[in-house]
Amino acid sequence: MKSARFLLIGIGALALLLAGTFALLLSPGFQTWLVRRELAARPDWHVTIGRVAAGFGDVVMSDVRLERDGVRVMIPSLDAKLSVPNALLRHRVDLSRFEAHGWTVELPSGGGPARSATGVAKNGTRATAFRDILAKLNLPVDVSIAAVDATGGLVLPDGRGTATVALSGGGVAAGQEGKLLLVAKASLNDRAVKAIELHGVLTATMIDPRRFSRFGLTLNATAFGVAQPGPVRLDVTADLDRTAAGEHCSLVVAGGQRQLLRLEAGFPDAKGPWRGSWQVDMRDGDFTPFMLGRALPKFAAQGEGNLDADASLAAIHAVGRLKGSIAGLEVLRPALSAIGQVNASADFDLAQRGSILAVTKLEVAIAADHPIGTIHTVQPFAFDVVTRKLSAQDADRDLLDANLQAVPLAWLGPFLGAYSAKGTDVTGELVALPRADGIRVRSKAPLVVHGLSVARSGRLVARNLDVSVNGSWDYTPQAWQAELSGVTVTRRDRPVMLLDAKAGCLAGPNQAIKATGLVSADVPMLLAALRGEDHGALIRGEATIEFAGSIAAEKQVQARVTVKNLAVEPRIGAGAVPALSADLRADIAPGGEVTLNTPVVLDVAGRKTDLTVAGTITPGPRAIHAQVTSGNLVIDDLKSLLPVVEALRGPPPTTLVGNAPTPPWPNWTGTLNLQLRRVLYSNMLEMNNVVGTLRLSPGEFKLEGVRAGVGETGSAKASGALTFNSAATPAYAAGADVALSDFDLAPFFHASNPKQPPIVDGKFVITTHLTGDGPAPNALRLTGTSDLTSKGGVFRGMPANVGNLVENSGKLASWLASAGNAITSLTGRKDYDEITSRSQAANELAKLLAAIPYDQLSLVLATDAGHNAAIRQFTLISPDIRLSGSGRITHVPGGSVADDSVTLEYQVRARGRPADLMKYLGVLDPKVDELGYAGCTIPVRVSGTLAQLDGTELSNRLVALAVEKTGLTEKAVDWINRLRGKTAN
């Protein structure tokens, strides 16, 4: 009894376990979890299911959502009536009824991700891809479909409209023909087509529950719209039938009463060849009403031909003729609008044997409103798409000949990006010939275009050029190489530029493209081509560029630029123009960052100026960080390039599209660190160890922390900024501060006139503040003030030499001297024993004034936008002489600073010996100030240039004082002026 009890308990427990398991399997929660887990293993589809309930006789799913490649499918409820045990245990799916209502399909605006196409297989695996199509449709389980009832909707992309879709039918089972009926009605938001109705019938005949013997498809589409004179029909009939003789397929597309496309092919079961034929006669209007609002290019195509192959499809042969036209390509890509209408015809005989494509005949003619070009085979050839080897019957004969009769230059537009080109049609001839398992394409006649003009973003960058190109392109399985030889650019029969270049790349992944070349240019003619002028200001110059580069994940560019024999028109500049040489090296990282090193050397009659820029440039966001270094920088050499820069700049370029004003550094940020060992300015000013930073931001160009040694003991500091504001008028504003300490002015004056002592010999503290604005950086109107102070030196700003004047006046000098002595004896003035005569007093005073050792000298210079300067608050203090005054410096356009004209007016006060001399001469005011200085009663005025002051007026006055007598002073001055060749006023 106990054993029976335990057995019953065990059987009961097992029954409960089985019942529990069975209940779990039938639980919708468990079924939903199981389906979701299986779907999670298929990442190519994103599927969510709200609920799954599977019983013995049906499967119900609710809230099903599927998404792939932008297509979204939403099914509120799906009900399939079938025996689940049969499906699971007996592999038999008997679908007595399938229902799905209210479903919605949303189509994306564009196509989904591109799928990789299967290439040609090495062992002919693709060759059998189209054989036994019906055999490949055999089912893994027994299937029968009694009834289908599915209704839903379709949402077209971009708001083009909606459609209702109904699918019904059934009767798919072994030994009978089943039918599925499709009815779709679309309402479109299109002015040309308002609605489309589609009626289709899919028939399928099964040999047994797993194999089909025939498929048939009939589709009848009708488009209704206000722009159509009546309904437009498109009928599609497709048939795939399997008989004892093999498979036969056909496809016919008709538009109304006209057959648009016919394709027939027979697939035998045995090893015999299969044959097929094709025929087309179609236009864009046949399909446009059914494109659901998508535009098509305008096209027309007519042709026919035959296809045949062996039973395995390892060898396919196609022969035929095709002609047609296409226009309106801008609907595919706006840039293609420049191509316009193209007419083409082709006559071909092509074959594929495994991976080998054989070309027996290829005749192509392309035309628009005129013949454009032709391509024809000279001899048969074959190309292996796997090994990439080309073979021909005769290795010494050409393969193809391409005659470019008149290719429109506008056809290049879609491939030029921001550039556009205008000119005559391109003419030339190309031939292709075999070369070492590869091919070589070379120019048989040069490619030529006349009157070429090129614009970038609407702005012309080259004008009226005639271009001739000779070149070749070589390809082998191991590498390819392209060569341009003797590319000539002329303008009105005068040479502009000559180019020779080569580029090549080894076969294989991640191989770098290597390129080298040489460009030679006539600089004035090149400028004329770029600016459109026949006679630029630059009248002579030669430039060469030797370059080499490597293009891979990281790009490398090296170039040596040489410019020599430059000359500009005399009206712009005179003197030697330096020769320029530069070595550029740039490494471009995969992200676009450029690391560069560019040393530049200017050569003026053997004197070298060097400048090197090294750093990095980042394209996005735009940033530059670089070091600017120099061992010897001669400012005059840079200035001598200004006439060339002026010639290069020329008139503003012609603008086809208006642009808002932008600074020369639009949206750039970064820093330029200066390290200049020696800077020389006009042999007057030498600076050493110049350091500082140039800082860029989108609206500002700033100079920070500039320091330098000046001369032997001086130093300098500078800072400044150039700002840009597009909303301001003018848009540019600038400001700068410069401070000099222990700055010796003597070298400046000595360099301007080495034959005379400097006007000022002393060390100064100079502080300068400049401000200004303007419409462009090179058109700033700067004004400012400079304070100059010195604690000791010699001032020679009142040059006068009475003794020399007397000596050079011949007999007059003797007469004046004796007259002076006579006057002295007659007047009996013997108050000044140490002063023996007026001439002595005048001569001695002139010497004291000509070189004044001072204890303090200060002045203020106020400059205007015309580079003129007012001299204010001039003050000089010495033990015996005090000067105060003002003046003006007037800039001479085109001249140096030393050539600027100067006018100075002084008020002279004196004590000690100078005062005694002035008193003897009768020009001293008896009143003295608190320091004992008395004023001189005659005005002192000096003029001339900064290079040489003219003290004639002061000298004449002193001479006149030396011979003072009623009526004699004026005569003496008049005689002296006459001796100098001047006329008295």
Side-chain angles (χ1 to χ4, degrees):
M1 293 297 292
K2 290 185 178 179
S3 299
R5 185 181 303 138
F6 284 122
L7 178 61
L8 290 175
I9 293 173
I11 293 174
L14 180 59
L16 289 174
L17 178 61
L18 291 175
T21 303
F22 190 70
L24 179 63
L25 292 175
L26 294 179
S27 167
F30 177 78
Q31 294 171 356
T32 303
W33 170 82
L34 184 63
V35 172
R36 288 175 178 173
R37 190 189 68 172
E38 291 299 321
L39 291 174
R42 298 179 176 271
D44 50 342
W45 277 93
H46 178 67
V47 183
T48 61
I49 296 180
R51 186 174 185 271
V52 177
F56 288 104
D58 64 352
V59 176
V60 178
M61 296 184 182
S62 61
D63 196 15
V64 180
R65 297 175 180 267
L66 304 89
E67 185 171 353
R68 183 176 184 179
D69 298 337
V71 178
R72 292 190 296 176
V73 181
M74 291 164 282
I75 306 174
S77 176
L78 183 153
D79 188 356
K81 305 294 184 181
L82 77 160
S83 173
V84 175
N86 282 344
L88 295 176
L89 302 176
R90 301 174 60 185
H91 302 288
R92 181 172 179 174
V93 179
D94 294 320
L95 188 62
S96 60
R97 186 168 184 81
F98 176 85
E99 292 185 359
H101 299 288
W103 50 264
T104 304
V105 178
E106 295 183 359
L107 301 179
S109 296
R115 304 294 182 86
S116 60
T118 303
V120 177
K122 293 183 179 180
N123 299 321
T125 56
R126 203 188 82 169
T128 60
F130 298 101
R131 291 191 70 249
D132 290 336
I133 297 177
L134 287 171
K136 291 178 173 58
L137 296 178
N138 290 344
L139 302 176
V141 296
D142 295 344
V143 172
S144 67
I145 303 175
V148 173
D149 185 9
T151 58
L154 186 68
V155 179
L156 302 180
D158 303 323
R160 296 194 185 105
T162 59
T164 61
V165 181
L167 182 65
S168 62
V172 179
Q176 65 184 41
E177 182 181 74
K179 290 185 178 181
L180 293 177
L181 306 179
L182 173 67
V183 178
K185 296 181 180 181
S187 298
L188 305 179
N189 298 321
D190 192 309
R191 289 183 299 176
V193 179
K194 292 300 182 183
I196 295 177
E197 289 188 6
L198 178 66
H199 297 269
V201 179
L202 174 64
T203 60
T205 303
M206 300 189 75
I207 302 172
D208 55 44
R210 297 193 180 194
R211 294 187 299 161
F212 294 90
S213 61
R214 182 181 179 277
F215 277 106
L217 175 65
T218 300
L219 291 175
N220 305 114
T222 306
F224 305 88
V226 295
Q228 303 292 334
V232 179
R233 285 179 58 89
L234 188 67
D235 301 319
V236 178
T237 303
D239 186 77
L240 179 59
D241 192 7
R242 181 173 188 174
T243 65
E247 293 181 0
H248 178 270
C249 69
S250 66
L251 173 65
V252 176
V253 180
Q257 301 299 317
R258 196 174 86 258
Q259 193 175 88
L260 308 180
L261 171 66
R262 180 184 60 81
L263 176 64
E264 291 190 6
F267 300 84
D269 284 338
K271 295 184 178 180
W274 65 266
R275 302 185 186 281
S277 63
W278 58 271
Q279 185 178 25
V280 297
D281 181 10
M282 60 179 64
R283 295 184 292 270
D284 59 284
D286 299 324
F287 301 95
T288 299
F290 305 97
M291 294 303 296
L292 301 179
R294 290 185 180 271
L296 285 177
K298 296 182 180 299
F299 70 88
Q302 291 180 322
E304 60 182 357
N306 296 314
L307 297 168
D308 61 79
D310 60 8
S312 65
L313 290 187
I316 302 175
H317 183 211
V319 179
R321 294 181 176 88
L322 184 65
K323 67 176 181 179
S325 64
I326 190 168
L329 293 173
E330 59 270 18
V331 302
L332 303 178
R333 181 181 172 190
L336 297 176
S337 62
I339 294 181
Q341 179 171 322
V342 181
N343 305 316
S345 63
D347 190 352
F348 56 88
D349 186 344
L350 308 174
Q352 179 182 320
R353 294 184 297 273
S355 63
I356 297 176
L357 176 65
V359 179
T360 301
K361 180 181 181 182
L362 181 62
E363 305 287 340
V364 179
I366 303 173
D369 55 354
H370 61 274
I372 291 176
T374 61
I375 301 173
H376 72 273
T377 51
V378 179
Q379 66 165 322
F381 62 92
F383 181 70
D384 191 321
V385 296
V386 174
T387 64
R388 300 185 182 276
K389 291 185 178 181
L390 184 141
S391 59
Q393 294 178 354
D394 188 347
D396 297 324
R397 291 181 62 199
D398 294 342
L399 301 175
L400 290 169
D401 183 276
N403 186 6
L404 308 183
Q405 296 165 285
V407 179
L409 196 63
W411 284 14
L412 296 176
F415 310 101
L416 297 179
Y419 290 88
S420 60
K422 293 183 179 180
T424 64
D425 294 339
V426 180
T427 62
E429 187 173 2
L430 302 173
V431 294
L433 59 155
R435 177 185 181 273
D437 294 333
I439 188 172
R440 184 181 195 196
V441 180
R442 64 174 180 84
S443 53
K444 187 175 182 180
L447 305 182
V448 176
V449 59
H450 297 284
L452 175 65
S453 294
V454 179
R456 186 180 187 276
S457 299
R459 175 171 292 183
L460 288 172
V461 296
R463 301 164 175 82
N464 197 24
L465 303 177
D466 299 327
V467 181
S468 176
V469 179
N470 282 294
S472 64
W473 180 73
D474 292 82
Y475 169 81
T476 67
Q478 293 76 36
W480 64 262
Q481 177 175 292
E483 180 176 359
L484 295 175
S485 57
V487 177
T488 59
V489 180
T490 60
R491 189 171 190 269
R492 298 180 181 176
D493 298 326
R494 293 186 59 185
V496 174
M497 187 175 68
L498 180 66
L499 167 66
D500 291 292
K502 288 183 179 181
C505 182
L506 296 175
N510 304 321
Q511 295 293 330
I513 299 175
K514 305 285 187 178
T516 62
L518 173 65
V519 180
S520 302
D522 183 300
V523 180
M525 287 303 299
L526 182 61
L527 291 178
L530 298 177
R531 291 166 31 193
E533 293 183 343
D534 291 329
H535 301 288
L538 191 66
I539 59 177
R540 189 177 69 247
E542 305 165 12
T544 60
I545 303 175
E546 298 177 73
F547 64 87
S550 175
I551 302 175
E554 180 173 336
K555 304 174 182 63
Q556 296 179 343
V557 178
Q558 290 180 291
R560 179 170 180 80
V561 181
T562 303
V563 182
K564 60 183 180 179
N565 298 328
L566 292 171
V568 296
E569 289 185 349
R571 64 181 175 84
I572 292 182
V577 178
L580 180 148
S581 62
D583 288 289
L584 167 69
R585 178 182 175 88
D587 297 322
I588 306 172
E593 183 180 80
V594 180
T595 302
L596 59 85
N597 190 312
T598 308
V600 180
V601 176
L602 303 180
D603 189 328
V604 180
R607 182 179 65 194
K608 302 292 181 66
T609 286
D610 65 272
L611 194 68
T612 299
V613 179
T616 60
I617 299 175
T618 304
R622 296 180 177 180
I624 179 171
H625 298 280
Q627 293 273 95
V628 181
T629 60
S630 174
N632 187 61
L633 183 61
V634 181
I635 301 299
D636 283 351
D637 293 349
L638 296 180
K639 289 174 61 178
S640 64
L641 284 177
L642 291 179
V644 178
V645 174
E646 187 71 20
L648 291 173
R649 187 189 324 160
T654 302
T655 301
L656 303 182
V657 179
N659 294 314
T662 56
W665 65 97
N667 300 320
W668 280 92
T669 61
T671 56
L672 297 174
N673 295 317
L674 303 178
Q675 292 184 351
L676 313 177
R677 187 174 60 85
R678 179 177 180 265
V679 179
L680 182 63
Y681 176 76
S682 296
N683 294 324
M684 301 177 182
L685 177 64
E686 181 174 336
M687 293 182 287
N688 301 294
N689 300 320
V690 180
V691 296
T693 300
L694 299 175
R695 195 174 303 279
L696 286 174
S697 62
E700 187 176 48
F701 185 93
K702 195 172 185 180
L703 189 67
E704 297 179 347
V706 176
R707 303 185 306 277
V710 181
E712 295 182 358
T713 60
S715 63
K717 294 181 180 180
S719 62
L722 174 65
T723 59
F724 171 80
N725 183 356
S726 60
T729 304
Y732 290 89
D737 291 287
V738 181
L740 298 171
S741 299
D742 289 333
F743 180 65
D744 192 352
L745 286 176
F748 170 81
F749 290 107
H750 180 75
S752 62
N753 191 345
K755 296 182 180 180
Q756 70 175 19
I759 296 174
V760 179
D761 190 349
K763 294 181 178 180
F764 282 77
V765 173
I766 303 174
T767 59
T768 299
H769 177 69
L770 298 173
T771 59
D773 56 28
N778 60 345
L780 292 173
R781 297 176 292 270
L782 294 175
T783 62
T785 57
S786 298
D787 294 320
L788 292 81
T789 59
S790 176
K791 297 300 184 181
V794 177
F795 178 69
R796 301 182 180 90
M798 293 187 294
N801 194 331
V802 175
N804 290 340
L805 288 173
V806 173
E807 293 173 5
N808 293 333
S809 299
K811 294 181 180 180
L812 176 62
S814 301
W815 187 87
L816 289 175
S818 60
N821 292 333
I823 293 172
T824 301
S825 61
L826 290 174
T827 58
R829 294 171 62 179
K830 299 183 182 294
D831 299 337
Y832 312 100
D833 295 338
E834 71 279 8
I835 302 175
T836 60
S837 66
R838 286 183 172 274
S839 60
Q840 175 198 347
N843 200 348
E844 186 177 348
L845 182 60
K847 291 180 179 179
L848 291 176
L849 296 177
I852 303 173
Y854 63 84
D855 297 325
Q856 182 176 326
L857 189 154
S858 63
L859 70 148
V860 175
L861 291 177
T863 58
D864 61 22
H867 306 292
N868 305 306
I871 303 174
R872 302 171 183 169
Q873 302 175 29
F874 179 89
T875 302
L876 181 146
I877 299 175
S878 73
D880 295 327
I881 296 175
R882 294 186 66 181
L883 299 179
S884 61
S886 61
R888 183 166 184 80
I889 301 174
T890 303
H891 177 63
V892 178
S896 66
V897 176
D899 297 325
D900 291 347
S901 63
V902 180
T903 300
L904 294 167
E905 294 184 355
Y906 304 105
Q907 291 76 47
V908 182
R909 302 181 68 84
R911 65 184 182 185
R913 183 64 175 179
D916 293 342
L917 296 172
M918 292 178 186
K919 184 177 180 181
Y920 186 89
L921 294 171
V923 293
L924 186 69
D925 188 336
K927 296 179 181 180
V928 298
D929 59 19
E930 64 279 7
L931 297 178
Y933 291 93
C936 179
T937 59
I938 63 172
V940 178
R941 185 174 182 273
V942 176
S943 61
T945 67
L946 288 176
Q948 184 170 5
L949 292 176
D950 184 1
T952 301
E953 181 177 340
L954 176 60
S955 299
N956 289 349
R957 288 190 176 276
L958 292 176
V959 169
L961 291 174
V963 295
E964 186 179 66
K965 185 179 179 181
T966 302
L968 185 60
T969 301
E970 290 75 8
K971 292 181 181 180
V973 173
D974 180 61
W975 288 340
I976 294 171
N977 285 333
R978 288 179 182 276
L979 288 175
R980 293 176 173 176
K982 299 181 179 180
T983 303
N985 294 327

